[in-house]
Amino acid sequence: MRRLHLDQTLELDRFAAESRLLASCDHPGLLSIVDSGKAGERPFYATQLRESRTLAELLDSRLSESEVIALACEICPALAHLHERGALHRSPAPA
Protein backbone atom coordinates (compact mmCIF):
# COMPACT_ATOMS: atom_id res chain seq x y z
CA MET A 1 0.00 0.00 0.00
CA ARG A 2 1.33 3.40 -0.98
CA ARG A 3 1.60 6.00 1.77
CA LEU A 4 0.36 9.47 0.97
CA HIS A 5 2.38 12.52 1.83
CA LEU A 6 0.70 15.14 4.00
CA ASP A 7 -0.07 17.47 1.04
CA GLN A 8 -1.57 14.57 -0.93
CA THR A 9 -3.75 13.64 2.03
CA LEU A 10 -4.86 17.25 2.43
CA GLU A 11 -5.65 17.50 -1.28
CA LEU A 12 -7.67 14.27 -1.16
CA ASP A 13 -9.55 15.54 1.89
CA ARG A 14 -10.28 18.84 0.13
CA PHE A 15 -11.40 17.04 -3.00
CA ALA A 16 -13.74 14.77 -1.02
CA ALA A 17 -15.19 17.74 0.90
CA GLU A 18 -15.67 19.69 -2.33
CA SER A 19 -17.46 16.82 -4.04
CA ARG A 20 -19.75 16.28 -1.02
CA LEU A 21 -20.55 20.00 -0.92
CA LEU A 22 -21.31 20.17 -4.64
CA ALA A 23 -23.44 17.02 -4.43
CA SER A 24 -25.52 18.68 -1.70
CA CYS A 25 -26.14 21.87 -3.69
CA ASP A 26 -29.32 22.31 -5.67
CA HIS A 27 -29.15 25.49 -7.72
CA PRO A 28 -30.02 26.08 -11.41
CA GLY A 29 -26.70 27.88 -11.94
CA LEU A 30 -24.61 24.92 -10.73
CA LEU A 31 -23.95 21.61 -12.44
CA SER A 32 -25.18 18.55 -10.55
CA ILE A 33 -22.79 15.75 -9.67
CA VAL A 34 -23.91 12.56 -11.37
CA ASP A 35 -21.17 10.21 -10.18
CA SER A 36 -18.09 10.10 -7.98
CA GLY A 37 -15.57 7.56 -6.83
CA LYS A 38 -12.06 6.44 -7.65
CA ALA A 39 -10.51 5.38 -10.94
CA GLY A 40 -7.59 3.34 -9.72
CA GLU A 41 -6.13 5.55 -7.03
CA ARG A 42 -7.43 8.80 -8.51
CA PRO A 43 -10.61 10.28 -7.05
CA PHE A 44 -13.10 11.85 -9.45
CA TYR A 45 -16.51 13.36 -9.70
CA ALA A 46 -18.52 13.78 -12.86
CA THR A 47 -21.03 16.53 -13.46
CA GLN A 48 -23.93 16.69 -15.82
CA LEU A 49 -23.02 17.88 -19.31
CA ARG A 50 -24.31 21.28 -20.28
CA GLU A 51 -23.61 22.60 -23.74
CA SER A 52 -22.58 26.25 -23.56
CA ARG A 53 -19.78 28.61 -24.35
CA THR A 54 -17.02 29.04 -21.80
CA LEU A 55 -16.66 32.27 -19.85
CA ALA A 56 -13.51 33.03 -21.87
CA GLU A 57 -15.45 32.59 -25.12
CA LEU A 58 -18.20 34.86 -23.86
CA LEU A 59 -15.73 37.56 -22.83
CA ASP A 60 -13.89 37.30 -26.17
CA SER A 61 -17.16 37.94 -28.00
CA ARG A 62 -17.19 41.56 -26.78
CA LEU A 63 -20.46 41.50 -24.92
CA SER A 64 -22.64 44.57 -24.67
CA GLU A 65 -23.18 46.21 -21.30
CA SER A 66 -26.63 44.63 -20.97
CA GLU A 67 -25.21 41.17 -21.82
CA VAL A 68 -22.50 41.57 -19.14
CA ILE A 69 -25.15 42.53 -16.59
CA ALA A 70 -27.30 39.53 -17.58
CA LEU A 71 -24.29 37.21 -17.25
CA ALA A 72 -23.44 38.61 -13.82
CA CYS A 73 -27.07 38.11 -12.78
CA GLU A 74 -26.68 34.40 -13.66
CA ILE A 75 -23.26 33.85 -12.06
CA CYS A 76 -23.62 35.82 -8.82
CA PRO A 77 -26.58 33.86 -7.35
CA ALA A 78 -24.76 30.56 -7.98
CA LEU A 79 -21.61 31.86 -6.27
CA ALA A 80 -23.71 33.22 -3.39
CA HIS A 81 -25.34 29.79 -3.02
CA LEU A 82 -21.88 28.21 -2.72
CA HIS A 83 -20.61 30.89 -0.32
CA GLU A 84 -23.64 30.38 1.94
CA ARG A 85 -22.48 26.78 2.30
CA GLY A 86 -18.88 27.73 3.07
CA ALA A 87 -17.44 26.98 -0.36
CA LEU A 88 -14.59 29.00 -1.81
CA HIS A 89 -14.55 28.86 -5.58
CA ARG A 90 -11.27 28.15 -7.34
CA SER A 91 -12.30 28.37 -10.97
CA PRO A 92 -15.88 29.53 -11.52
CA ALA A 93 -17.38 28.95 -14.93
CA PRO A 94 -20.93 29.47 -16.16
CA ALA A 95 -23.10 26.36 -15.93
Side-chain angles (χ1 to χ4, degrees):
M1 180 176 191
R2 189 175 69 125
R3 296 185 102 175
L4 294 174
H5 296 288
L6 181 59
D7 357 337
Q8 291 173 308
T9 302
L10 290 173
E11 281 301 308
L12 288 173
D13 289 347
R14 275 191 209 128
F15 186 88
E18 180 180 284
S19 63
R20 282 192 305 274
L21 177 88
L22 290 175
S24 72
C25 289
D26 182 23
H27 189 277
L30 299 172
L31 296 174
S32 299
I33 290 185
V34 296
D35 194 14
S36 65
K38 279 191 170 186
E41 291 190 27
R42 300 188 84 174
F44 74 90
Y45 63 82
T47 63
Q48 69 189 99
L49 176 63
R50 191 170 297 170
E51 298 288 336
S52 65
R53 294 188 295 170
T54 66
L55 184 56
E57 290 169 338
L58 288 170
L59 295 175
D60 283 345
S61 67
R62 306 204 189 266
L63 301 172
S64 69
E65 183 178 325
S66 62
E67 290 171 316
V68 170
I69 291 169
L71 183 60
C73 288
E74 288 181 41
I75 294 172
C76 290
L79 290 177
H81 185 79
L82 290 170
H83 286 209
E84 288 167 3
R85 283 153 184 76
L88 297 177
H89 51 83
R90 292 186 220 173
S91 55

